[in-house]
Amino acid sequence: MPDPPSRPTLAVIAAEAGVSPATVSKVLNGRTDVAAATRERVEALLRTHNYPGPGGVARRARRSGLIDLVLAGLDSPWAVEILRGVEAECAEHGTGVVVSLVRDDDARPPSWQNLPALHHSDGVILVTSRMTHRQRAQLEKAGVGLVLVDPVNLPDTDIASVGATNWAGGLAATEHLIGLGHRRIGMIGGPADMLCTQARVDGYRTALERAGIEVDKDLVRYGDFHHRGGFARTRELLELPDPPTAIFAGSDEQAMGAYQAARLAGLRIPEDLSVVGFDDLPTCEWLSPPLTTVRQPLEEMGRVAARTLLQLLDGRPPLTPRVELATDLRVRGSTAPPPRTTPLPTPPPRTEER
C-alpha cells in the first residue's frame, strides 16, 4: 500500500489563499494581527488540507504528562547521553519519559508509531530512525507531537528536528590531521544512507579539496558507528598497499575499534597511526592514549529535543524547525605528525684493493 501524499506546504496554502506564507504562519500560531476575512479564508484551506493546529500538532483536550523516547537501542553510550538530556529536561517540567527500544529492522508488532497510543503519551522523540509520510499522518491523526533527533532520512521541512553541525565537525577533524602533516587520511563513516554520515564525509572531502589533496575513494569506508565496524574497516584500510597514516573514525566507538585493529597490526597510536573520533563520549579521556575527537553536545541535544516537544504540545512552535548545535574539536593524545620514513643507511664508500 503506497504512502499517502505529503501534506502541502505553507507556501502552497498561501498561494491558494492569495496571501504570504508569513500570514498563514500567523493564522496557525493564533496571532491576532490578521484581518478576519483573511483568517477565515486561510483557516478554511487549512481544514480542507487537514493541516494540524497551532504548533504543528492537533491539540488534545487532555494531556497525560508522558512522552515516548524511541531509541534504536541502549547498547551505545551515545544513546545514554541523549536519554540523560531528555530525562533531565522533562523532570524539570514534571513530565514522565517512557523509553522504547525499536529497531528499524524489527518487524515484530507494535511498530513505534503505535507506542503513544499504548502508553497514552502526548508526544514522541524519535532518535536516529526513519520517518515516512504514513507514520507522520498516523501521529497527526492521533494528535501526537513529534520531534526528531538525528533523523536517518531528510524529514519534511516543518517537522521539528535536532542535530549537530556534522559537516563542520568532519571538516575540523580532517583539517586537524592535515595541519599535522598527514596526506593519506582514511575516513570511516557510519551507515552510508544516514544524513549525519553524509555530512561528516562531505566535511572530510571538503577539507582535503581545500588543501589540494586528491580524495582517494579507497580511503573512504562505511561502518556501523559501533566498535565492530570501526575494527573491520580499519583492518581493511591498513591492508591497502599504501595505507593511511591517520584515520577519521566517524564516531568514538568506531575509533575504539580502530585502536584494537592498530594494536593487532603492531602499530602504535599516535606514533604510527593517528586516530580521530566523533561524539566525545565520557570514555574518550580514559582511553590509552586519550582520544582526539569532535564533541557534539549529546546531552544538550536531548534537552533541546524535549524542550521543543513540550513547547509544541503547549501550542508554541519553534522559531525554526531544524536546530543544529555546534560541534568542536577536542585535541588529546591520539593524534601526532605522521611517522617519518627512515632512510636506508648509506653504505660506506668502496675502496679498491691494492
Side-chain angles (χ1 to χ4, degrees):
M1 180 179 177
D3 287 347
S6 60
R7 193 183 59 209
T9 64
L10 293 186
V12 171
I13 292 174
E16 291 186 20
V19 299
S20 69
T23 299
V24 178
S25 180
K26 288 179 180 180
V27 173
L28 273 171
N29 296 327
R31 294 271 293 274
T32 59
D33 53 340
V34 180
T38 301
R39 178 183 299 279
E40 290 177 4
R41 186 165 69 255
V42 172
E43 287 179 343
L45 283 168
L46 291 171
R47 287 192 296 271
T48 298
H49 290 295
N50 196 30
Y51 211 97
V57 56
R59 299 293 303 282
R60 289 180 171 181
R62 179 175 58 87
R63 293 270 294 276
S64 68
L66 289 176
I67 66 169
D68 268 293
L69 175 63
V70 181
L71 299 160
L74 281 175
D75 53 347
S76 165
W78 186 96
V80 174
E81 294 300 305
I82 296 289
L83 170 59
R84 192 192 312 277
V86 170
E87 194 281 329
E89 186 69 22
C90 287
E92 292 177 7
H93 292 82
T95 300
V97 180
V98 180
V99 179
S100 302
L101 307 181
V102 179
R103 299 187 182 277
D104 284 338
D105 58 356
D106 190 350
R108 296 171 298 174
S111 58
W112 69 259
Q113 64 266 29
N114 294 325
L115 293 172
L118 293 176
H119 302 154
H120 305 289
S121 54
D122 300 308
V124 174
I125 297 174
L126 185 62
V127 182
T128 59
S129 293
R130 298 181 183 278
M131 167 61 60
T132 67
H133 293 306
R134 181 183 302 164
Q135 292 166 336
R136 168 83 183 272
Q138 185 171 347
L139 292 178
E140 288 181 350
K141 184 177 180 181
V144 174
L146 173 67
V147 174
L148 307 179
V149 176
D150 259 353
V152 171
N153 57 330
L154 189 65
D156 292 344
T157 55
D158 59 339
I159 296 181
S161 63
V162 178
T165 53
N166 291 292
W167 181 87
L171 181 77
T174 311
E175 286 184 337
H176 168 66
L177 293 169
I178 293 172
L180 290 172
H182 294 276
R183 296 298 179 267
R184 294 283 293 171
I185 302 172
M187 170 72 211
I188 305 175
D193 62 343
M194 292 188 68
L195 290 177
C196 61
T197 293
Q198 295 164 13
R200 293 171 197 178
V201 173
D202 285 346
Y204 158 85
R205 293 178 184 275
T206 300
L208 293 178
E209 290 167 356
R210 286 182 180 179
I213 302 172
E214 183 178 357
V215 178
D216 185 343
K217 60 181 179 59
D218 287 340
L219 293 179
V220 180
R221 306 292 167 119
Y222 294 93
D224 55 7
F225 280 145
H226 297 292
H227 302 77
R228 188 179 299 276
F231 176 79
R233 302 292 86 78
T234 298
R235 294 194 70 174
E236 293 172 2
L237 289 169
L238 295 179
E239 290 170 359
L240 291 173
D242 187 10
T245 60
I247 291 177
F248 172 30
S251 76
D252 290 345
E253 289 194 69
Q254 289 189 155
M256 295 173 197
Y259 271 44
Q260 179 65 8
R263 291 191 191 98
L264 291 180
L267 300 178
R268 300 165 300 165
I269 298 173
E271 292 86 354
D272 303 313
L273 180 71
S274 287
V275 178
V276 179
F278 199 108
D279 291 328
D280 196 26
L281 298 175
T283 53
C284 289
E285 295 184 83
W286 299 100
L287 294 175
S288 181
L291 178 65
T292 294
T293 187
V294 177
R295 180 182 183 273
Q296 59 173 336
L298 298 172
E299 183 173 345
E300 182 62 18
M301 286 165 61
R303 275 188 169 271
V304 171
R307 191 178 308 143
T308 301
L309 180 57
L310 295 175
Q311 290 173 350
L312 284 172
L313 295 173
D314 286 337
R316 295 179 289 137
L319 296 177
T320 175
R322 173 68 178 175
V323 175
E324 288 192 348
L325 303 184
T327 55
D328 64 279
L329 183 69
R330 301 294 174 93
V331 179
R332 300 192 179 101
S334 65
T335 51
R340 295 181 182 272
T341 302
T342 304
L344 294 174
T346 303
R350 297 180 62 181
T351 57
E352 296 182 4
E353 295 182 0
R354 295 179 181 267

